[in-house]
Amino acid sequence: MLNIIKSDLYRVFRGKAIYVAIILILVLAFVSCFSMSPGHIGITTSSEEQPLIQDNEILEQVYETDSILETRELMKKYGAYPLDKAQLGANANLYYFFIIIVVIVLVTDLSNATAKNTLFSAISRKKYYLAKLITCIGLGTFLILINNYGSYIINLIMNGKEFSAGFIEITKLTMLQLPILYGIISVLVCIGFCFRKIGTFNSITIPLIVVVQLIIMGVSTLFHLDTTEILNYEFQYIIGNLISNPSNIYILKTLLLAIFYIIGFNVIGYQVFRKTEIK
C-alpha cells in the first residue's frame, strides 16, 4: 500500500497539474486580497454572512464604481475587518481543485490499464482503495493549507494586520473546516470508484454543487419547506457558516455530517469497487 502512495505522489509532483492548481489557488488569493472581496463559485453563500461594509453611504459608492482600484480604496477607507477569515468562507472553491487531485490519483488509473496491472500483483482491493483515499486526502490537505495560509500571508503583506484575523484564528478555522472538506473528498473518491471514466466523472462532479443547490431549492419551494434550515447543511453553506462564529451545536452537527460522508461514501465506493471487474 505504501508503494502505491509513493508512486502516486511521485507521479503527481512530477506532472504539471498540481503546480497549475497551486498557482491558481495563489492567484485567486491575490485577486481576493487586492480587490478586498472574497469570491465563491456556486449559488449559495453562508446564511450567517454579513456585508463587509455596514455604512450605507460607502456601500452605495462601492456599488456605483466599476474600478477595482477605487473599490479597494473605499474598502480601505471603511475600516478594518478580517479579510483572510472571509476568504476562508469561500473555501467551497477548493472542491474544484479536489476534482483535479482525484482525477490524477484515481480516475486516470481506473480508466487505463494501470489499476488492473496493480491489482494483478500481490495487493488487495482493500489496500488499493485505502492507498488511493489516503493519497487524495493527503494531497487535499496540502492544497487546503496552501490556500488558507497562502491567503493569510498574502493578505498580511498586501493589507496589513488590521485586515487579518491572525494566525491562531486562521488555524482554528482551518481545523473546523477540515472534517467536511475530507467528507467532500470522500464523495469524489466514491464517485471515481463507481464510474471510473474521466469523462463520466467530470460530467458528474463539476456541476454537482450547483445541481444539489438547485435541487434543494426546488424541493423546498415545491413542498413549502424552510429553505434556509435545509441549506444550512449544504456543503457551501457549511463552509461559510463555520467561519461566522457558529454555535457548538452547529459545529457538532456538521462534524457528524462529515463523519457520515467519510464513512458512508467510502463504504459505498469500496463495495462497488470490490464487486466491479476492472478492465
Side-chain angles (χ1 to χ4, degrees), residues 14-275:
R14 190 184 178 189
K16 297 178 181 178
I18 188 70
Y19 300 105
V20 172
I22 292 171
I23 291 170
L24 284 175
I25 286 173
L26 294 178
V27 167
L28 289 172
F30 176 84
V31 171
S32 292
C33 290
F34 184 78
S35 63
M36 305 194 75
S37 177
H40 70 277
I41 301 172
I43 297 175
T44 66
T45 57
S46 166
S47 62
E48 302 293 331
E49 188 175 291
Q50 299 296 324
L52 296 177
I53 296 180
Q54 303 293 333
D55 189 304
N56 290 332
E57 183 178 346
I58 298 177
L59 186 61
E60 186 176 348
Q61 293 179 51
V62 170
Y63 285 149
E64 288 177 352
T65 181
D66 294 326
S67 169
I68 294 179
L69 287 173
E70 189 174 343
T71 300
R72 178 176 170 80
E73 290 304 315
L74 288 169
M75 297 293 281
K76 283 272 192 178
K77 186 187 299 183
Y78 163 68
Y81 69 94
L83 176 60
D84 47 11
K85 180 178 178 180
Q87 285 175 294
L88 265 62
N91 271 358
N93 295 344
L94 287 171
Y95 169 81
Y96 299 97
F97 295 100
F98 296 157
I99 291 176
I100 296 173
I101 290 173
V102 175
V103 167
I104 298 171
V105 172
L106 172 62
V107 184
T108 300
D109 277 6
L110 295 175
S111 295
N112 303 322
T114 312
K116 185 176 182 179
N117 294 337
T118 304
L119 292 169
F120 275 158
S121 64
I123 191 166
S124 67
R125 293 201 177 203
K126 181 183 292 185
K127 289 183 179 180
Y128 181 88
Y129 187 98
L130 286 174
K132 294 298 183 180
L133 176 63
I134 290 170
T135 306
C136 288
I137 288 179
L139 289 170
T141 304
F142 175 66
L143 291 185
I144 292 166
L145 295 179
I146 286 178
N147 176 78
N148 290 8
Y149 291 106
S151 297
Y152 165 73
I153 293 169
I154 292 171
N155 177 59
L156 199 61
I157 293 171
M158 292 183 66
N159 301 316
K161 291 183 178 180
E162 63 270 25
F163 288 90
S164 174
F167 182 84
I168 294 176
E169 182 68 9
I170 293 300
T171 301
K172 173 188 171 185
L173 295 172
T174 298
M175 297 302 293
L176 284 178
Q177 288 184 339
L178 278 178
I180 193 63
L181 291 171
Y182 289 164
I184 289 302
I185 293 173
S186 296
V187 172
L188 292 173
V189 169
C190 174
I191 295 172
F193 274 108
C194 288
F195 294 95
R196 300 182 299 284
K197 297 297 182 182
I198 294 176
T200 306
F201 177 81
N202 287 338
S203 65
I204 293 172
T205 56
I206 291 174
L208 185 60
I209 288 181
V210 174
V211 170
V212 169
Q213 292 171 354
L214 289 172
I215 290 173
I216 291 174
M217 291 178 180
V219 171
S220 299
T221 302
L222 183 63
F223 295 99
H224 305 289
L225 303 175
D226 185 352
T227 307
T228 302
E229 183 61 28
I230 297 173
L231 285 173
N232 273 335
Y233 300 98
E234 183 270 334
F235 169 60
Q236 193 170 340
Y237 252 73
I238 292 173
I239 291 297
N241 285 338
L242 286 174
I243 65 100
S244 305
N245 300 317
S247 66
N248 290 333
I249 294 297
Y250 183 78
I251 293 173
L252 178 61
K253 287 181 178 180
T254 57
L255 177 60
L256 292 174
L257 181 62
I259 293 172
F260 171 77
Y261 278 6
I262 293 169
I263 295 176
F265 282 98
N266 281 308
V267 167
I268 294 170
Y270 174 67
Q271 291 301 322
V272 171
F273 177 56
R274 187 172 65 88
K275 297 177 181 179

